[in-house]
Amino acid sequence: MRNLAAITFKVLRDLFFDDKGDFIEFDLRAKSNTQDDPFDEYLSAALDRELKKFGVRCQKSSGPLISPDLAVYKTGIDVRSPNVHNNPEAIIGIEVKKLERGKDGKIARGTGLDYNSTPPCGRVRIYSEYDEPLIIKSFYLFASLGHTDKGKYFVSAMTLCDGSIINDDFELYSNITGAREKGINLGTYGDGANRNRPMVIFSNPLGTELLDGKITLISELDLSTELVNIGLRWRFVRKDTEKNDHVFFVYMDRRDIKEPYDVTEVREPFHTPKKRDIRTQGRGKFKLIVE
């Protein structure tokens, strides 16, 4: 097995679920501030420990507000080699998205998820220790994170998702993540500023009932010849704005496939809003009720 997403999926599957597919409880340290992320810390340490067995390492981002959250790479790669760029057998980036459930038990924000000021993309830019840019293949770990009454945590659904199925427009990614002008000298005293920060919304893969409650790997590559004890469950097809089909392969561990099945094709698997308004929503109104 050479594909790093496939190796990582294997480790994640056994980190959060037992042989029967039931979730494994784990502890997280207390959160210290808004940007602190104990789950990412737990995840990166566990991945690095287990991936070493495959000659692979996992590195966490050096601080908050840095994307991606994790980089998984083959030990000893030459970061200055052109063969590293966009090569999922050398290095991949992983952005971690923790999802909550509503009172109805469904994944929240099922028709669209906030990605803040970094659009999801099948390729992302990181930098080597020599401060040279690397364009690497990108994945997103969507995990529904819950907790028990005793303070233990668990993952009830998970997909390690190829970023290309959400968006593959690298130019859009580059334009939005690049330097922007901000408004300065604002307000009565001229000490205000407007960061003009974009807030982007794209699909939420776990919003579809097909993936919720399951443990899946979504790849734009056909990994059938490489995966052991993992079966192809669906083919997802998305049509781009130019009317071209993009096919993605959805895999599951064979322990989690309970019944005989046929591999089916699912077109446009993700939920989208029925209607989108070009205008942003105004601030809520405070209504005073005088007594």
Side-chain angles (χ1 to χ4, degrees), residues 98-111 113 143-145 156-157 204-213 271:
K98 298 174 291 298
L99 305 180
E100 298 179 349
R101 293 186 182 273
K103 293 181 179 179
D104 58 1
K106 294 182 179 180
I107 295 290
R109 302 296 303 273
T111 61
L113 191 65
S144 175
L145 186 64
S156 60
N204 178 357
L206 282 188
T208 174
E209 292 78 6
L210 287 175
L211 300 184
D212 190 9
H271 295 311

Side-chain angles (χ1 to χ4, degrees), residues 276-281:
R276 234 175 206 154
D277 196 325
I278 193 172
R279 298 167 299 178
T280 60
Q281 185 174 354

Side-chain angles (χ1 to χ4, degrees), residues 113-280:
L113 191 65
D114 290 336
Y115 290 80
N116 300 321
S117 57
T118 304
C121 190
R123 291 165 292 160
V124 295
R125 182 185 295 104
I126 66 171
Y127 291 85
S128 72
E129 60 185 302
Y130 310 105
D131 208 27
E132 297 171 343
L134 298 173
I135 309 302
I136 65 172
K137 184 63 187 166
S138 176
F139 283 77
Y140 291 76
L141 176 63
F142 297 91
S144 175
L145 186 64
H147 58 86
T148 69
D149 294 337
K150 296 181 179 180
K152 296 282 188 176
Y153 289 83
F154 61 91
V155 172
S156 60
M158 180 194 83
T159 185
L160 184 60
C161 176
D162 193 313
S164 294
I165 198 173
I166 309 171
N167 170 57
D168 204 30
D169 187 341
F170 186 71
E171 183 177 359
L172 172 69
Y173 164 84
S174 297
N175 288 341
I176 291 183
T177 56
R180 300 180 301 273
E181 289 187 359
K182 63 181 178 182
I184 60 174
N185 303 324
L186 304 180
T188 302
Y189 307 104
D191 56 357
N194 180 1
R195 292 185 294 173
N196 294 317
R197 184 185 180 197
M199 295 292 287
V200 296
I201 302 170
F202 279 86
S203 296
N204 178 357
L206 282 188
T208 174
E209 292 78 6
L210 287 175
L211 300 184
D212 190 9
K214 297 182 178 64
I215 314 151
T216 55
L217 167 65
I218 302 177
S219 172
E220 66 177 348
L221 300 177
D222 184 350
L223 302 174
S224 299
T225 60
E226 185 167 337
L227 297 177
V228 178
N229 296 325
I230 295 177
L232 178 63
R233 184 62 183 86
W234 297 282
R235 292 185 184 88
F236 284 177
V237 182
R238 299 203 70 185
K239 190 179 293 292
D240 65 25
T241 55
E242 302 297 324
K243 308 301 182 183
N244 300 309
D245 283 348
H246 297 251
V247 179
F248 297 86
F249 303 89
V250 185
Y251 298 96
M252 293 180 64
D253 190 293
R254 293 194 184 279
R255 290 171 293 177
D256 303 323
I257 302 174
K258 307 302 182 184
E259 302 173 350
Y261 68 95
D262 294 321
V263 176
T264 55
E265 180 180 289
V266 181
R267 303 189 72 85
E268 300 304 334
F270 303 149
H271 295 311
T272 56
K274 295 180 179 179
K275 184 180 179 181
R276 234 175 206 154
D277 196 325
I278 193 172
R279 298 167 299 178
T280 60

Side-chain angles (χ1 to χ4, degrees), residues 24-39:
I24 297 173
E25 296 178 359
F26 56 92
D27 293 308
L28 293 179
R29 64 169 178 79
K31 190 178 176 74
S32 62
N33 57 58
T34 302
Q35 301 299 336
D36 186 35
D37 203 322
F39 180 67

